[in-house]
Amino acid sequence: MGAVSGIVAAVAGLAFAQLAAAAVRPESAPVTAVGGAAVDLTPVAVREWAIRLFGPSDKLVLTLGIVVVLAAVAALAGLLSVRHLPAGIAVAGGFGLLGAAAALSRPEAGWRDALPSLLGGLIAAGVLYLLVTAATRPRPAGTGSGGGAWSMDRRGFGRLVTGVLAASVAAGFAGRRLGAHGSAGATASRARFVLPPPTVPAPPVPAGADLRVPGLGPFLTPDRDFYRVDTALVVPRVDADTWRLRIHGEGVTRPLTLDLRQLLSRPLVEHDITLTCVSNEVGGPYAGNARWLGVRLADLLREAGVRPPSRGGPADQLVSRSVDGMTIGTPVEAVMDGREALLAIGMNGQPLPFAHGFPVRMVVPGLYGYVSACKWLTELRLTTFGAYDAYWVRRSWAQQAPVKTQSRIDTPRPYADLAPGRVAVAGVAWAQHRGIEAVEVRVDSGPWRQARLGAADGVDTWRQWVWPWEATPGRHTLEVRATDGTGAVQTGVRAGTVPDGATGWHSVEVQVKALG
């Protein structure tokens, strides 16, 4: 009964905290706040391991882990309360204080963010007191049989627990409904939003860019399959009608504050760009290609009076800030050197999905996402790399990170069992802003063989490739390397993702069956 009391008290505390968070903001909910703080404090090596192991489910695994730990501590607090009630209640209340501290540590947090956790701690402590005192109150003389400390039979205790759980479920349901109501404006604003036609449309994807090899994904990645790597445990849902962007800082002679309508009054450019996450291991899945629609960032900065360092501008870093407080530092020179750096509003012909930054995000070809691809954008501040370190730089990543040339074998899959004869070995290669000139494949460390490339869709997208292999029986290792548009050959030296991206040749081991 003591352990059950602790767990039920925790459930009640979390449910009512969730209800309170609906009135403050979703990020203030205790599990979300603690999870966000845990992400911030997690060593880089551990975080990279989690991304490799769990992929896009890493946030779900973290949340479940927090709930499991909380349940274990709650059970211990309940057991402790049976022997020493004040100590158990102190543990329950302490978790409320921990959640409040985590909430206050989040970017953009205000004093109100602490309220849901504090309320949850008080509720948990109160419920724990109620359950434990009801269960351990001495029996009146002559009632029951056999003595013992417990005053309630299991049926009576069960009815009390059921009542508490019913109230908790009602509070949790109300919190979810209120939270959904709070984001309804954002959902409606996206549903109403119609992408304007581009002023500068992208040309059609060249015939032959998509090789249509079985096992090879499409040239343009569908929104639902596009990778997502960020720190947001709760995807921000921003109302396009109230969204604002502020541009200010060093070298800004005409500060700007724009709403979405004003942003869309600028010329809109459509461009195909492949994005890559710096956490992508050699051969990893965190790369995607899409058709983006947006405003040229360089034009907007010039409108604000910004000059790049090469023309005497005082700022060399553009710090973008998300609505959830994430900061990303991008070289000013890169976004103003003529490449199609965009403030994107559209992805593959549709408004940005919420998970990919609706209503506005940054897209800069040739740079890893952690130094360029700020989602849910709300602020652009001009400064210097010497004066400010953005979020990931403070966590051991490099300040500047151009994309490294990479190639990947998508088919056959690792450890595939193949029939002897002709096998299509195919994949993608990328070197954004430099382009891909050639791809080569070799078998069992033999000579490199030229692969056939799909048609190029500019220098900012990946290229598909295929090589016909006459497979012979036995176990074989396939390797791939690419040459970028400058003539530089992809290095075979293996390096991890930290501090500025992985290097090395992707390899796949397969088994070819014997004849007969």
Side-chain angles (χ1 to χ4, degrees):
M1 289 186 180
V4 171
S5 297
I7 293 174
V8 171
V11 169
L14 288 177
F16 281 90
Q18 188 70 39
L19 177 59
V24 180
R25 62 172 187 150
E27 294 82 0
S28 66
V31 173
T32 302
V34 171
V39 170
D40 289 349
L41 296 174
T42 299
V44 171
V46 176
R47 186 177 186 278
E48 291 299 289
W49 168 82
I51 291 175
R52 289 195 302 271
L53 184 63
F54 301 114
S57 299
D58 60 337
K59 299 172 185 64
L60 175 61
V61 172
L62 173 62
T63 300
L64 291 176
I66 291 172
V67 170
V68 169
V69 171
L70 177 60
V73 173
L76 291 174
L79 293 172
L80 178 62
S81 297
V82 173
R83 296 181 176 274
H84 194 273
L85 184 57
I89 290 176
V91 171
F95 261 76
L97 293 175
L98 176 64
L104 291 174
S105 73
R106 310 310 302 137
E108 311 298 313
W111 64 268
R112 293 189 303 171
D113 289 79
L115 296 180
S117 291
L118 293 176
L119 175 63
L122 287 173
I123 294 291
V127 169
L128 185 61
Y129 177 84
L130 170 68
L131 294 177
V132 172
T133 53
T136 60
R137 186 181 300 116
R139 289 190 182 90
T143 62
S145 62
W150 297 90
S151 67
M152 302 183 73
D153 59 18
R154 292 184 184 274
R155 184 174 300 176
F157 184 74
R159 286 195 295 268
L160 183 57
V161 165
T162 299
V164 172
L165 289 177
S168 301
V169 169
F173 180 76
R176 290 185 66 86
R177 290 297 299 269
L178 287 173
H181 178 74
S183 63
T187 302
S189 72
R190 185 179 182 276
R192 291 192 303 268
F193 184 58
V194 177
L195 289 180
T199 311
V200 183
V205 174
D210 196 326
L211 296 176
R212 303 185 185 280
V213 176
L216 183 61
F219 179 75
L220 290 175
T221 309
D223 295 1
R224 66 180 180 277
D225 298 330
F226 209 93
Y227 76 92
R228 178 192 163 210
V229 178
D230 54 50
T231 63
L233 295 185
V234 175
V235 173
R237 301 178 76 85
V238 181
D239 190 329
D241 297 332
T242 60
W243 175 86
R244 297 292 184 273
L245 173 67
R246 182 187 179 205
I247 303 175
H248 65 110
E250 295 183 42
V252 176
T253 59
R254 294 180 292 277
L256 297 174
T257 299
L258 304 174
D259 60 23
L260 190 58
R261 179 184 58 80
Q262 292 169 322
L263 181 68
L264 297 182
S265 68
R266 275 75 177 169
L268 292 175
V269 176
E270 197 175 49
H271 194 59
D272 296 342
I273 301 172
T274 296
L275 298 186
T276 312
C277 180
V278 74
S279 295
N280 200 45
E281 293 279 347
V282 172
Y286 301 126
N289 189 41
R291 175 157 290 190
W292 306 93
L293 175 68
V295 175
R296 285 192 176 112
L297 180 52
D299 291 348
L300 207 56
L301 293 178
R302 292 190 190 98
E303 185 179 335
V306 176
R307 291 173 294 141
S310 60
R311 297 192 177 182
D316 61 4
Q317 180 179 204
L318 177 66
V319 177
S320 50
R321 182 178 292 272
S322 165
V323 296
D324 66 353
M326 169 60 65
T327 56
I328 287 177
T330 308
V332 174
E333 198 68 50
V335 300
M336 301 188 74
D337 67 359
R339 72 184 76 193
E340 294 289 13
L342 302 176
L343 295 189
I345 59 166
M347 180 180 183
N348 291 329
Q350 297 293 327
L352 291 170
F354 283 112
H356 291 290
F358 181 83
V360 180
R361 68 169 294 166
M362 271 179 59
V363 178
V364 183
L367 302 180
Y368 283 116
Y370 87 99
V371 293
S372 66
C374 185
K375 295 184 281 192
W376 314 294
L377 182 67
T378 187
E379 179 188 5
L380 293 171
R381 180 169 67 90
L382 280 296
T383 182
T384 65
F385 283 106
Y388 183 79
D389 285 338
Y391 180 91
W392 291 115
V393 176
R394 296 195 297 270
R395 289 159 177 83
S396 303
W397 296 89
Q399 283 187 329
Q400 303 191 40
V403 171
K404 297 178 180 179
T405 303
Q406 282 290 317
S407 51
R408 186 180 74 201
I409 300 171
D410 288 339
T411 183
R413 306 298 295 173
Y415 309 114
D417 289 324
L418 307 175
R422 177 157 292 194
V423 173
V425 181
V428 289
W430 59 85
Q432 293 93 310
H433 203 53
R434 301 185 303 279
I436 292 294
E437 186 67 27
V439 171
E440 299 168 287
V441 183
R442 70 177 180 180
V443 182
D444 299 330
S445 300
W448 290 101
R449 306 295 186 184
Q450 201 79 12
R452 177 169 67 89
L453 291 175
D457 184 23
V459 298
D460 292 332
T461 67
W462 60 20
R463 290 184 77 174
Q464 295 188 347
W465 58 267
V466 62
W467 177 66
W469 173 42
E470 294 297 334
T472 58
R475 187 175 296 277
H476 300 285
T477 299
L478 306 171
E479 289 180 290
V480 63
R481 72 179 184 184
T483 301
D484 71 15
T486 70
V489 179
Q490 176 185 349
T491 179
V493 177
R494 279 274 180 169
T497 56
V498 182
D500 60 358
T503 61
W505 299 328
H506 185 215
S507 63
V508 169
E509 191 173 285
V510 297
Q511 179 71 44
V512 180
K513 300 173 184 177
L515 291 170

